[in-house]
Amino acid sequence: MTLFERVFGGNDAVYGLTEAAIDNAIAQYGEGQAVSFPDTAYSLPCYYAVTGSKVGTLGELKQALGVVKTLMTRNPRLNDAFMSGVATALCAEFIEVLKYLNGAAPYELPCYGHLSDAVIRNLGVPLVTGDIPGVAVILGSAPSADEAVALVKSYQSQGILVTLVGGVIDQLEEKGYKTGDNVRVIPLGKDVTAVIHVVSVALRAALIFGNITPGDAGSLMKYTMERVPAFVNAFKPLDDVIVACGAGAIALGFPVVTNETENIYRVPKSLIVQEDVSKFNATSLEARDIKIKITTIDIPVSFASAFEGEIIRKGDMQVEVDGSRKDCFELVTTRDAAEIEDHKITVDGPELDEIPVGSKISLSYIVEVAGKNMQSDFESVMERKIHSFLNCIEGVMHTGQRDMIRIRVSKADFEAGFRFRHIGEVLYAKIKSEFDTVVDKCQVKIVVDEAKNKELRAMANEVFNRRDDRLRSMTDESVPVFYTCIMCQAFSPSHVCIVTPERLGLCGAVSWLDAKATNELDPQGPCQVVPKEHCIDERLGRYEDVDEAVQKYSHGALEHVTLYSLFQDPMTSCGCFECICGVEPVSMGVVITMREYAGMTPLGMTFSEMASMTGGGVQTPGFMGHGKHFIASKKFIAAEGGLGRIVWLPKELKEQMRDKLNEAAKELYDVDNFADMIADETICTEDPEELLNYLTEVGHPVLSMEPFD
Ligand code: SF4
Ligand code: NI
Ligand code: NI
């Protein structure tokens, strides 16, 4: 059999199964029965991305299958094979969506099945920063469970996101290997059709971040080929269905590496035979052209961004640094070069092996840096990275910041030889490598002593207070320049964030100070200086210089952007915004929701649905993505009256922002307890009249504002 025959045969087989499954479902539920995946605004995402049509009912699904059939041409040419691969993928999506029929929950942990839009948006920032350098799709069973673990671990320790389909899931379970989206190893499902859930991620990324028009299959495939660094590892034996799926993967630009040698045809750079499973990793990275940043750190356990979200339970911890009960803190501070001995790490107090297991302890670390180009403003930028640095250690969990930190070190790490000084090693190595242009020398002082930490903490708090005073005094008016950030252009080619002291980047990860530091660390990098010499309209935040910058860095896609308006040339969104706001026409206010909140809003839309209204670097007046902290900024939609327009927030977000919202509203409108006037899901969802009643009852300031023009 030729490769074409295998692809066509596999495609026909899956098509037959799909047709039967749809007919069965119609016989049982009728054509009008709704079909959908949970938590997505993109219908059946793959079918929608490829054809531009949404499918809402079983009857429409049946029609869609007719459209799929038209892709299944049978000439022995490469294009026919690719299209049959795509058709196979679409059939797989249909089979998978039928599993969700009638509100069923077909997947249970460890398997995820369909991944929500929010999961994809969460991946946005780490993908653009290269924290997630690639996406591996592992299919089938490895020759042995040990080899399965070794392969997954090899990707995980490079930060690569791993998705699993089929027998490999059981192999990891058998070995007790931890999986989950928090450690970037996601079992999708055990049937081969579950592979569609990762294809769905790639295609939604194109719609969400790339502003690809649904139905523009050519641009879609170009986008996935150029911008989604995914690849497939398929274990033998490969049946025709898997070969047909593989053709679909290759059509999207994802190379397939397999250990199958029988009845297989090599296609350079696309279908690669690698008999030695221990070389799958290297072969795949080479085929997809993925480069891994290596930082070697002298510690006895793994260090990788994939471990950032790992959770250490009470029963698994050796010791806990507990800032809520003991004096603890972390601090980065600048010293004279003469005061620092590079790479000196001291532990003042008992080491980990001298402390009883399960203890809650007082611990602090001061990272002292020196460098000709060091500025005290960078201290807080570095300090905020400590959270991510320590979390990347396998078996260590870090939360909080400043003097409210909590660190858990696992028993497994202790047994592997991990000690407090290794915290110093990590801090030293990461600060030196990530801030190499400003840090010439670095040393770390760890103190494990309650009495000493009590004194040191008082000193650290003075530093934190001084910093806060400086931050509070920093306004858009008081600084000489703004910055661009174009980090997200890897996925949203025309998106530009303008970052100001009072408006952080929409991902929430880039403040004005961060942008300034990024610019000085890498002058040719993503953050460029935007002068602010020619203000055109202060109320809107319209500057000639800003317009010039967005024109230049969006490559002409954008002409005008205002900093403070939701309606007039609002700032664009890429896809990884923390929050989105949209106009609520009944109250003339705005509703804001966030990625973590999956529920409904009074706009009749969920986060995913609101988010799908904008993105990909286009301007959508009335909808705008933004960072959480922008909500309490005095510049938040200042042109339309400011944060007094906020009529609804998810409760969790409201609580997070409560104090700052109250403070800002007091200053702007002389209103007390503004946060209590904002509705949330415990007060109303869905019904705008109910919302209006509540706002009237509490005397919300929006009611005395002008309608939007
Ligand atoms: Fe992306 Fe804007 Fe965040 Fe930069 S500031 S990483 S461009 S969202
Ligand atoms: Ni113009
Ligand atoms: Ni982004």
Side-chain angles (χ1 to χ4, degrees), residues 11-28:
N11 181 200
D12 289 338
V14 174
Y15 181 86
L17 289 175
T18 311
E19 194 173 34
I22 294 175
D23 289 341
N24 271 337
I26 290 177
Q28 195 178 346

Side-chain angles (χ1 to χ4, degrees), residues 310-329:
E310 187 191 19
I311 290 163
I312 312 295
R313 294 180 207 293
K314 258 206 174 82
D316 296 331
M317 81 192 187
Q318 179 72 25
V319 66
E320 181 174 48
V321 174
D322 183 358
S324 67
R325 296 156 201 251
K326 308 267 178 183
D327 290 308
C328 300
F329 69 91

Side-chain angles (χ1 to χ4, degrees), residues 595-610:
R595 228 182 307 170
E596 294 90 331
Y597 177 73
M600 193 44 83
T601 71
L603 297 192
M605 290 190 259
T606 61
F607 175 86
S608 298
E609 288 162 339
M610 281 173 73

Side-chain angles (χ1 to χ4, degrees), residues 154-217:
S154 74
Y155 289 129
Q156 201 184 17
S157 64
Q158 292 164 328
I160 287 176
L161 175 75
V162 185
T163 60
L164 308 169
V165 178
V168 62
I169 297 173
D170 293 326
Q171 291 181 313
L172 292 196
E173 251 194 317
E174 174 194 327
K175 289 281 165 189
Y177 200 80
K178 272 200 231 173
T179 59
D181 62 337
N182 59 328
V183 286
R184 292 192 194 154
V185 179
I186 305 184
L188 293 172
K190 293 177 187 176
D191 300 337
V192 62
T193 48
V195 75
I196 198 63
H197 300 305
V198 58
V199 177
S200 170
V201 169
L203 299 188
R204 271 181 284 164
L207 302 181
I208 290 174
F209 300 109
N211 194 33
I212 300 295
T213 312
D216 182 356

Side-chain angles (χ1 to χ4, degrees), residues 547 551 559-560 569:
D547 280 350
Q551 276 173 40
E559 290 196 346
H560 307 282
D569 303 318

